Amino acid sequence: MTKLTYVSEQPDDNFQEKIEKIKKKLKECQKQKEEYLKGWQRCQADFINYRKRQEANMEELKINIQAEVFKDILQVLDSLNSAVKHSKPKEGREEISLIMDQLKKVLDRYNIKEIESVGEKFNPEIHEAIAQVESSKKSGIIIEEVQKGYTINNKLLRPAIVKVAK
């Protein structure tokens, strides 16, 4: 049989020391817990920011790859435009126009827009001037578009090549 012992009603000095040590250890543990929690929260925030940056980088990469492909397609569209301009009405102009319409629908689907140029003020960010021409128009106004310019998702894909009034 085990003998039961009772803690006296009067706390002794040894008991108070134990309580103080336990309180001190508890404060240390709470402080350590707070540090771990803050570290975990920073790590989680860093990871969320990393994921957002990666998603943005992937979207940018996707747009850049699309831009390269569409630059090649725009050359085909330019050739078709030229063919329509220089062909006689019965030489397949209607068929070429249908193909051009299909290409334009593809460009629209990928948010590729033509840059409006003729009659607009020259903007070196979206236009490339190849000549200044005497004109009755105000100086700096685009009077002729040699090659269409395009944007993709509101970013320049290809500048418009233009002639500007002197």
Side-chain angles (χ1 to χ4, degrees):
M1 238 179 172
T2 56
K3 185 176 178 184
L4 293 174
T5 56
Y6 295 96
V7 176
S8 70
E9 305 236 348
Q10 295 276 328
D12 59 8
D13 290 335
N14 194 12
F15 185 69
Q16 283 294 34
E17 285 178 24
K18 288 181 182 179
I19 289 177
E20 291 303 316
K21 285 182 182 179
I22 291 172
K23 284 182 180 179
K24 185 178 177 184
K25 184 69 174 166
L26 180 61
K27 284 183 182 179
E28 290 174 7
C29 287
Q30 286 175 330
K31 185 178 176 183
Q32 192 175 32
K33 177 199 72 129
E34 288 297 320
E35 288 175 14
Y36 288 157
L37 179 62
K38 287 178 184 176
W40 175 79
Q41 288 170 334
R42 276 192 305 274
C43 184
Q44 187 177 23
D46 288 346
F47 179 72
I48 289 168
N49 291 336
Y50 168 78
R51 188 172 26 171
K52 287 178 184 176
R53 279 192 312 271
Q54 286 303 103
E55 288 171 359
N57 288 343
M58 291 302 289
E59 187 63 27
E60 185 73 22
L61 179 62
K62 177 180 140 188
I63 289 170
N64 289 339
I65 290 170
Q66 285 177 344
E68 290 303 312
V69 171
F70 283 115
K71 282 180 185 178
D72 292 340
I73 291 173
L74 291 177
Q75 290 176 347
V76 173
L77 187 60
D78 291 341
S79 297
L80 290 172
N81 273 326
S82 180
V84 166
K85 271 185 188 175
H86 297 93
S87 66
K88 295 179 183 163
K90 293 187 177 182
E91 291 181 347
R93 181 181 283 183
E94 293 167 11
E95 290 84 0
I96 294 173
S97 293
L98 290 173
I99 294 169
M100 287 174 51
D101 289 342
Q102 286 178 328
L103 277 173
K104 288 179 181 179
K105 285 179 184 175
V106 170
L107 297 178
D108 283 342
R109 194 173 332 139
Y110 288 94
N111 204 23
I112 296 173
K113 307 289 182 208
E114 286 184 10
I115 296 172
E116 296 297 323
S117 296
V118 176
E120 300 290 323
K121 183 163 176 54
F122 177 77
N123 179 349
E125 293 178 1
I126 58 173
H127 300 118
E128 184 178 320
I130 59 167
Q132 284 190 323
V133 180
E134 292 291 333
S135 173
S136 60
K137 302 267 186 193
K138 184 178 170 186
S139 179
I141 299 297
I142 298 169
I143 58 170
E144 184 181 340
E145 184 177 63
V146 177
Q147 184 181 54
K148 288 192 176 295
Y150 294 88
T151 61
I152 182 170
N153 295 322
N154 297 321
K155 288 178 58 180
L156 184 65
L157 178 60
R158 182 178 83 181
I161 298 175
V162 297
K163 293 182 182 178
V164 182
K166 270 189 185 179

